[in-house]
């Protein structure tokens, strides 16, 4: 999204805020509060062309104030939100419901959201938050940050030095249905079916296609078992995602596995090598590995952790998580 993108009222989000329009606090990620984080955030432009800033928790604010510097160093274990001020015209509950039908708007927001996260990840470990996580103001954001502090610290420690790799398995199997005209088609002369009537030929073709499909699925299961073994050997964790269908499947074929693996950076090469070999001797099966990504799939807070679910006063209507709509890590 650019600063020129207009709100429903016809002004840009930046102009609306400059003219005194209502603003809400849009949160991109959680990170340890540090000089590196603040310097990186200060150089970024986020959703709607808005400046990016650090919103520290209550303790972090006191540490910064005591240091005598606006970019002070927070105490050990302090965390902060990385945020922007955006127009409530675009991000209150009613606006988000409208925008769910506007794919261009959603894509622009997602691209800006994930661009901020990717840049921050180059400077420090970040905990990405759900697309369109919005609080009424900075004070509400601080309340959520303070409430979830212990869980955020735990997750950041777990993700430090780790990256995410996406692994998909595709199979190219014939359709189970021969099509509406198959029963009427006459068997070609000289073929095994030449002596069969159209009905029997149709049934034989259907059985052959089912058998081929079953073999392809069995081969895909073999590839999946090999990849899981590599995951056990090298990965810290695995997340299962819903398989993709239609246009979301992207590169063709039937997507039968869509997983993400959390790996230490120094183990990534060995894992990739094993995964790349998983389908070498399995005709009709293709494995696709993508990454490294910021570990979006492994940022779900522990159950019941207050203030850390990514929900907010006027957000999350999109239900979107991770970079899939922004051309980042495929879901």
């Amino acid at each position: 999204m650019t600063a020129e993108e207009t709100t429903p009222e016809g002004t840009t989000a930046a102009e609306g805020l400059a003219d005194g329009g209502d603003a809400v606090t849009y949160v991109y990620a959680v990170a340890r509060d540090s000089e590196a984080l603040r310097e990186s955030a200060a150089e970024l432009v986020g959703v709607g062309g808005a400046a990016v800033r650090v919103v520290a928790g209550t303790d972090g604010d006191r540490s910064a104030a005591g240091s005598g510097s606006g970019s002070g160093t927070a105490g050990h274990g302090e965390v902060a939100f990385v945020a922007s001020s955006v127009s409530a015209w675009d991000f209150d509950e009613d606006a988000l419901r409208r925008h769910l039908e506007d794919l261009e708007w959603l894509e622009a927001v997602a691209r800006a959201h994930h661009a901020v996260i990717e840049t921050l990840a180059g400077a420090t470990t970040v905990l990405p938050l759900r697309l369109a996580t919005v609080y009424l103001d900075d004070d509400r954001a601080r309340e959520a940050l303070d409430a979830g502090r212990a869980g955020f610290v735990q997750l950041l420690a777990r993700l430090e030095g780790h990256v995410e790799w996406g692994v998909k398995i595709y199979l190219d199997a014939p359709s189970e249905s021969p099509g509406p005209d198959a029963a009427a088609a006459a068997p070609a002369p000289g073929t095994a079916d030449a002596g069969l009537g159209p009905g029997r030929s149709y049934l034989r073709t259907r059985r052959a296609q089912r058998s081929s499909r079953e073999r392809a699925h069995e081969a895909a299961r073999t590839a999946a078992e090999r990849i899981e073994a590599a995951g056990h050997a090298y990965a810290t964790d695995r997340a299962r995602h819903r398989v993709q269908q239609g246009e979301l499947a992207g590169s063709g074929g039937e997507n039968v596995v869509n997983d993400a693996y959390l790996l230490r950076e120094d183990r990534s090469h060995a894992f990739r090598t094993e995964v790349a070999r998983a389908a070498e001797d399995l005709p009709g099966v293709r494995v696709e590995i993508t990454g490294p990504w910021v570990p979006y799939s492994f940022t779900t807070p522990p159950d019941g952790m207050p203030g850390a679910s990514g929900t907010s006063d006027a957000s999350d209507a999109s239900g979107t998580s991770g970079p899939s709509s922004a051309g980042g890590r495929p879901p």
Side-chain angles (χ1 to χ4, degrees), residues 138-188:
D138 282 6
D139 287 340
R140 298 290 185 91
R142 286 190 183 93
E143 289 176 5
L145 184 66
D146 290 341
R149 177 186 173 281
F152 289 140
V153 169
Q154 173 189 342
L155 280 166
L156 286 167
R158 180 171 181 263
L159 297 179
E160 188 169 8
H162 285 72
V163 291
E164 175 175 332
W165 290 89
V167 179
K168 296 180 183 178
I169 299 178
Y170 294 90
L171 58 84
D172 300 312
S175 170
E176 188 170 314
S177 172
D181 299 327

Side-chain angles (χ1 to χ4, degrees), residues 188-211:
T191 66
D193 290 347
L196 301 179
R200 293 182 65 189
S201 177
Y202 168 86
L203 292 175
R204 174 173 288 189
T205 300
R206 186 174 179 85
R207 283 195 297 269
Q209 288 176 331
R210 282 183 174 174
S211 177

Side-chain angles (χ1 to χ4, degrees), residues 15 23 53 63 74 91 131 152 173 210 226 271 282 329:
E15 287 170 349
R53 66 180 187 279
S63 297
F91 289 95
L131 187 71
F152 289 140
R210 282 183 174 174
R226 293 172 179 175
F271 175 75
L282 300 171
R329 195 200 75 75

Side-chain angles (χ1 to χ4, degrees), residues 32-208:
R32 292 188 183 90
D33 197 356
S34 67
E35 291 284 356
L37 176 69
R38 290 171 181 260
E39 289 173 4
S40 181
E43 298 174 356
L44 294 175
V45 174
V47 170
V52 176
R53 66 180 187 279
V54 171
V55 177
T58 304
D59 291 340
D61 279 347
R62 283 199 292 267
S63 297
S67 71
S69 169
S71 60
T73 303
H76 176 72
E78 292 307 327
V79 291
F81 279 149
V82 179
S84 293
S85 291
V86 296
S87 172
W89 286 328
D90 276 330
F91 289 95
D92 65 18
E93 291 184 67
D94 290 338
L96 283 176
R97 289 193 188 97
R98 292 194 303 270
H99 285 314
L100 285 177
E101 306 300 322
D102 185 346
L103 295 182
E104 282 190 26
W105 186 91
L106 284 173
E107 183 177 5
V109 171
R111 287 187 181 278
H113 180 96
H114 300 303
V116 168
I117 290 169
E118 293 289 337
T119 301
L120 292 172
T124 186
T125 302
V126 295
L127 177 62
L129 295 183
R130 196 180 285 266
L131 187 71
T133 298
V134 182
Y135 295 90
L136 291 177
D137 51 36
D138 282 6
D139 287 340
R140 298 290 185 91
R142 286 190 183 93
E143 289 176 5
L145 184 66
D146 290 341
R149 177 186 173 281
F152 289 140
V153 169
Q154 173 189 342
L155 280 166
L156 286 167
R158 180 171 181 263
L159 297 179
E160 188 169 8
H162 285 72
V163 291
E164 175 175 332
W165 290 89
V167 179
K168 296 180 183 178
I169 299 178
Y170 294 90
L171 58 84
D172 300 312
S175 170
E176 188 170 314
S177 172
D181 299 327
T191 66
D193 290 347
L196 301 179
R200 293 182 65 189
S201 177
Y202 168 86
L203 292 175
R204 174 173 288 189
T205 300
R206 186 174 179 85
R207 283 195 297 269

